[in-house]
Amino acid sequence: MVDLKKWSRQVLTLSRGALVAGAALGLAASMAVNAASAQESDSLRPKYFADLKGKKIVFLPVQMSMDFTKDWDRSFAEMAKQVGMDYSVRDANWSSQAQVQALDALIVEKPDVILAHNFNVSVLAKQLKRAEDAGILVIQLNLKSLYDTTAYVGIDNTQIGVVGGREIVKDCGEGSGKNGKVAIIIGEPTASDGIYQIQGLKEAFAKDPHIQIVATQSGKWDPKVSHDVTATILQQNPDLCAIWSLWGVQALGSSQALKEANLTGKVGLYTASEGLRYGCDAVKSGDFTHLVIWNSQQIPRDVFQIVTFLLQNHVKPGTMKGAVYTPLLEVSKDNLQDNMCWDPVH
Amino acid sequence: MGAQDEAVHSSRAVQPRSDWGRILLTQQSLVWIVALICFLTFSIILRGFARLDNIVTLVRTVAVLGTLAVAMSVTVIGRGIDLSVASVMAVCSAWTITLMSLGYAEQSAIAMGLGLAFIIGLVNGVLIAYVEIPAILATLATGIVLFGLSEILLIRSTVVSLPASSVIIRYLGQGAFLGVPMAIVVAAAAVIVVHLLLAFTRWGRLTYALGDNREAARLSGVDVRGLMLAQCIFSSLIAFVAGLSLVGSGPIFSTRIADGGIIFDVVLVVVLGGVSLSGGMGGMAGVVGATALIGVLVNGMTILDLSNQMQSLIKGTVLLAAVVIDSLLHPRDEQTSRQGDI
């Protein structure tokens, strides 16, 4: 006969034991899991967000409504929103005076970071130093000032000149059978892009004494001015071999002048641009002989990398300096692909 | 217009002794003489300057400048000034192009651009004639406001592309009429129309009267306010036409031109051309001569490969000389110093 009392007592003991063992196992398991996840959580994240949240960042462009500066603005705003930074813009609208005034006001307001797009090499130099002395991190974008601040992010204009110059030497120099006459059309005469590009071009031309620069004029970053200047230069030098134009937008004015003089293709047009669609179209149609593309869309990401790293490390302005140059892409009819250029979002 | 006005206008003005002197010593003739001297000098020292292609290029470069100067002269003769012409030119035509890229037909877009220019002229006129704000301040302000508003409201980017579908605007910028580039034809048409209006219509006569002595004109029953309103509107409309020709001249256009100092070049051409800032004198002959002089100078300086700073220096010196000569020929007297604000 089954002794019910003894059997039920045994079952109870066993189940109690199983319960305790199970609980202990479960506890151990969850502790193990917790321990594992505690080791796997990202130790850099809390500091990242804590250091960036609420920081004030101000963009000071030469002009807000150019397609590539609008694209920069959109990128900066989006990235700032994601980390909780306070982003704003002070648009100089083509006026160097307005830039000076805006920067003066900013030095009083004391944001954490200023992204400066210099109208020319000298106009903001003194104030940029004052801004950094006041504890504001200054990153210069694409157009430099004579004064070097914590970082410069943007194109290496000297290298653009070297690359463009090298192509011109290839097509017009000794051994090409051409006369080596080159005209240079820069933008705003005192802006850093033109000054450094000429340095680069001269460096490339020094290798070939056959090249002679017959004209150096300013196209003022404007297609109409470029057009008129080019037309006049072509009058004087109808046997010109190459024209270097600082920027694609103004180079379109030059290409128009070449078209009117029936010299498209006979005079090479070499230029650099931010990668907007018109550049690739012009290479395809033969208006641009060679185009150096600096992809302006990469620049905001480069800027943000520098800014977030500096802010996380509480770097004091003036304690370090460096440059981040944008990679260049050379485009000509041989290697042209549609995805080399980008279309503005409207 | 010239010689008689001088003799009557002020007793302290330079008094030439002979008839020939009286004709040659007017600002208008002087500017043509200087232009001719510069032209001949450059023809001799610069190879290729005097070739027909170069002359056409030269005239084409300053055609838009000349048209704007014609627009501004209308108000300056009436003892006012219109500093918003550069903004109107750039913004209204950039807006026309933007409308086309948004899908509007070319004619509608042009009509709307014209309408905007009309409204700006109206605003200028009301501010100057009825609110009685000095012309120099009112038009400076409307020009800046228009340029600023343009990005917020009207155009998407300061760099606008000429749509491939454009026919009229492209013709105005790049076409040719009897072998003459349209930019030059537009400028010539503006000069002829304004000259005919100023010399042969009652409206033109009254504009000179208004500029010469506003009080006397008002007391004689001239609708001074209406006339000033009409001048401002007319000036804006001419500026718009100049803008169409400019926008049509290339595949791409930057509105930056409105802010780039072109307005000073326009004032230079107007003052140089004998359209005195004290109002009531000058005409199209002088404006054309001054435009020619600036064209010759800029073309020659480009060929000489002078730096930008040197070119600005020379243009500034020429303006200074023009203003000094203007004040010597038309010094302030009891009559002119009492009215107007320039």
Side-chain angles (χ1 to χ4, degrees):
Chain A
M1 227 202 318
V2 179
D3 186 348
L4 265 170
K5 244 197 217 159
K6 205 163 154 213
W7 186 79
S8 52
R9 216 178 296 134
Q10 275 175 345
V11 166
L12 268 168
T13 320
L14 272 171
S15 27
R16 229 184 288 144
L19 216 61
V20 170
L25 216 63
L27 194 63
S30 67
M31 273 173 65
V33 166
N34 272 340
S37 57
Q39 278 169 358
E40 281 172 10
S41 84
D42 190 340
S43 49
L44 289 174
R45 264 183 110 237
K47 187 173 187 300
Y48 178 83
F49 285 109
D51 283 329
L52 296 181
K53 192 171 167 62
K55 290 288 191 298
K56 248 187 114 199
I57 180 167
V58 182
F59 179 31
L60 198 64
V62 161
Q63 218 287 342
M64 245 329 275
S65 297
M66 290 190 282
D67 277 321
F68 74 90
T69 44
K70 264 210 292 222
D71 181 67
W72 284 354
D73 172 59
R74 215 176 295 120
S75 302
F76 288 144
E78 184 54 48
M79 289 189 273
K81 193 167 78 160
Q82 283 178 7
V83 294
M85 285 177 86
D86 171 358
Y87 167 75
S88 57
V89 185
R90 303 282 189 273
D91 182 8
N93 202 14
W94 295 123
S95 158
S96 61
Q97 264 317 104
Q99 253 201 346
V100 169
Q101 285 163 9
L103 191 50
D104 264 334
L106 284 176
I107 293 175
V108 173
E109 282 173 36
K110 288 255 269 164
D112 297 284
V113 184
I114 294 178
L115 306 174
H117 190 214
N118 293 274
F119 193 90
N120 66 45
V121 286
S122 52
V123 73
L124 297 179
K126 277 206 206 93
Q127 291 169 295
L128 291 178
K129 181 170 192 319
R130 266 176 48 217
E132 291 221 305
D133 289 341
I136 307 172
L137 281 170
V138 177
I139 317 287
Q140 297 188 53
L141 292 185
N142 240 29
L143 290 172
K144 274 186 92 207
S145 166
L146 282 171
Y147 178 75
D148 288 328
T149 56
T150 306
Y152 167 77
V153 178
I155 49 181
D156 179 2
N157 277 297
T158 315
Q159 185 60 17
I160 290 180
V162 166
V163 166
R166 192 196 60 213
E167 281 305 304
I168 294 177
V169 165
K170 215 193 296 176
D171 293 339
C172 294
E174 193 87 51
S176 67
K178 306 260 181 78
N179 61 16
K181 283 186 177 176
V182 178
I184 298 176
I185 303 180
I186 55 171
E188 189 60 33
T190 49
S192 64
D193 51 2
I195 298 173
Y196 300 155
Q197 279 186 12
I198 290 181
Q199 295 265 13
L201 286 165
K202 288 206 170 127
E203 202 182 292
F205 293 162
K207 304 211 174 90
D208 189 342
H210 188 62
I211 299 283
Q212 38 158 328
I213 302 174
V214 297
T216 310
Q217 287 288 313
S218 158
K220 296 255 186 91
W221 291 328
D222 182 71
K224 163 89 167 73
V225 175
S226 266
H227 167 274
D228 296 336
V229 160
T230 309
T232 309
I233 294 174
L234 288 173
Q235 288 294 337
Q236 288 305 105
N237 304 284
D239 55 345
L240 194 65
C241 183
I243 298 175
W244 167 264
S245 182
L246 174 133
W247 182 35
V249 166
Q250 66 170 41
L252 283 177
S254 298
S255 73
Q256 180 72 16
L258 285 175
K259 226 180 281 191
E260 286 157 12
N262 285 321
L263 288 173
T264 311
K266 301 198 190 96
V267 178
L269 183 54
Y270 303 76
T271 184
S273 87
E274 68 283 280
L276 276 167
R277 181 57 55 196
Y278 70 82
C280 290
D281 289 343
V283 171
K284 203 189 293 188
S285 66
D287 284 326
F288 290 171
T289 311
H290 183 260
L291 176 65
V292 179
I293 294 186
W294 43 277
N295 195 326
S296 67
Q297 293 191 306
Q298 290 180 1
I299 291 179
R301 188 147 357 133
D302 291 345
V303 166
F304 236 73
Q305 284 175 9
I306 296 284
V307 165
T308 53
F309 202 76
L310 289 172
L311 286 175
Q312 283 175 79
N313 287 290
H314 303 284
V315 171
K316 271 192 72 195
T319 52
M320 53 173 74
K321 287 186 205 255
V324 178
Y325 292 124
T326 313
L328 302 173
L329 174 65
E330 297 183 55
V331 181
S332 62
K333 256 202 176 130
D334 316 326
N335 70 337
L336 174 66
Q337 281 172 33
D338 268 344
N339 65 358
M340 288 175 172
C341 285
W342 55 280
D343 299 287
V345 171
H346 281 302
Chain B
M1 273 292 144
Q4 278 178 329
D5 285 6
E6 243 119 7
V8 166
H9 201 247
S10 164
S11 54
R12 276 182 295 139
V14 175
Q15 289 285 21
R17 286 196 205 123
S18 68
D19 272 341
W20 269 113
R22 221 176 308 209
I23 293 172
L24 286 176
L25 212 53
T26 65
Q27 178 99 353
Q28 302 186 42
S29 323
L30 273 172
V31 81
W32 273 107
I33 292 170
V34 175
L36 205 60
I37 294 173
C38 286
F39 184 80
L40 290 171
T41 315
F42 282 137
S43 306
I44 297 169
I45 67 175
L46 294 175
R47 187 183 43 91
F49 181 82
R51 280 205 324 250
L52 187 62
D53 316 358
N54 191 46
I55 296 174
V56 170
T57 305
L58 188 164
V59 178
R60 224 186 132 167
T61 306
V62 288
V64 170
L65 181 63
T67 316
L68 283 182
V70 167
M72 197 192 271
S73 304
V74 171
T75 47
V76 176
I77 290 174
R79 198 37 160 125
I81 195 166
D82 189 348
L83 296 177
S84 64
V85 286
S87 274
V88 168
M89 169 192 78
V91 173
C92 295
S93 44
W95 191 45
T96 303
I97 297 293
T98 307
L99 287 172
M100 281 186 70
S101 67
L102 287 172
Y104 287 86
E106 189 166 20
Q107 288 92 327
S108 328
I110 292 177
M112 285 164 80
L114 195 72
L116 181 63
F118 183 89
I119 290 171
I120 300 299
L122 193 66
V123 168
N124 279 335
V126 165
L127 286 176
I128 297 169
Y130 294 92
V131 184
E132 291 182 9
I133 297 177
I136 195 170
L137 299 174
T139 54
L140 189 63
T142 48
I144 295 172
V145 167
L146 180 65
F147 189 61
L149 276 180
S150 68
E151 283 165 43
I152 303 171
L153 287 179
L154 302 171
I155 58 183
R156 294 179 297 211
S157 163
T158 52
V159 176
V160 288
S161 313
L162 185 65
S165 56
S166 159
V167 172
I168 303 171
I169 301 177
R170 192 181 297 271
Y171 179 66
L172 282 176
Q174 299 173 35
F177 182 70
L178 300 176
V180 180
M182 275 309 283
I184 302 177
V185 171
V186 165
V191 166
I192 293 171
V193 165
V194 172
H195 175 73
L196 290 174
L197 280 170
L198 287 174
F200 296 113
T201 64
R202 200 180 57 122
W203 185 85
R205 295 265 156 197
L206 290 177
T207 304
Y208 278 100
L210 179 66
D212 197 60
N213 191 333
R214 188 179 300 173
E215 275 309 301
R218 194 178 67 84
L219 291 168
S220 319
V222 173
D223 177 13
V224 162
R225 289 189 159 147
L227 202 55
M228 284 162 77
L229 192 63
Q231 280 167 17
C232 290
I233 294 174
F234 193 48
S235 165
S236 288
L237 294 179
I238 300 176
F240 175 66
V241 175
L244 283 186
S245 168
L246 180 60
V247 163
S249 65
I252 205 166
F253 171 70
S254 167
T255 56
R256 193 210 168 182
I257 204 168
D259 209 39
I262 194 176
I263 198 70
F264 302 121
D265 286 345
V266 177
V267 172
L268 169 60
V269 169
V270 166
V271 172
L272 207 51
V275 180
S276 175
L277 289 171
S278 51
M281 62 184 61
M284 292 298 106
V287 171
V288 174
T291 311
L293 175 58
I294 297 297
V296 167
L297 274 180
V298 169
N299 188 277
M301 290 195 292
T302 306
I303 294 177
L304 284 170
D305 203 25
L306 292 181
S307 71
N308 218 64
Q309 287 87 332
M310 187 58 76
Q311 293 191 26
S312 297
L313 186 65
I314 293 175
K315 272 207 290 204
T317 311
V318 172
L319 174 61
L320 196 58
V323 172
V324 167
I325 294 175
D326 179 48
S327 64
L328 282 175
L329 288 176
H330 314 119
R332 294 210 176 284
D333 57 11
E334 184 58 39
Q335 186 184 357
T336 54
S337 57
R338 235 186 318 139
Q339 51 170 339
D341 313 281
I342 301 176

